[in-house]
Amino acid sequence: MNTVAQEAAREAMVQKVASATTTVAAGTAVVGGYAAQEILAVGGFLIALGGFIVNWYYNHKRLKLQERQQEEP
């Protein structure tokens, strides 16, 4: 025989599993909804952004070095 507490525990477990299943299904739909072209486009953007940052950093260092060299007698 089931008690009210056992029924409440089962109901809570079912709700927890249903919530987890919904979350996993939503995540799968989002990831699966992207085509290979979209993933590659984002990857290309990130590579271009990384290249921009590296170029900016080394140009900044080069300019600082040139300024120091001009200050020296």
Side-chain angles (χ1 to χ4, degrees), residues 13-71:
M13 182 62 73
V14 168
Q15 287 178 353
K16 190 174 185 179
V17 169
S19 176
T21 303
T22 302
T23 303
V24 169
T28 302
V30 168
V31 171
Y34 290 113
Q37 289 177 332
E38 293 166 333
I39 293 171
L40 291 174
V42 170
F45 173 76
L46 292 175
I47 290 170
L49 182 62
F52 174 78
I53 291 170
V54 167
N55 281 328
W56 176 83
Y57 176 76
Y58 282 105
N59 278 331
H60 182 73
K61 286 185 77 164
R62 181 180 52 82
L63 291 174
K64 290 290 185 186
L65 180 61
Q66 286 176 348
E67 286 176 1
R68 273 191 267 139
Q69 288 175 348
Q70 287 178 357
E71 290 175 359

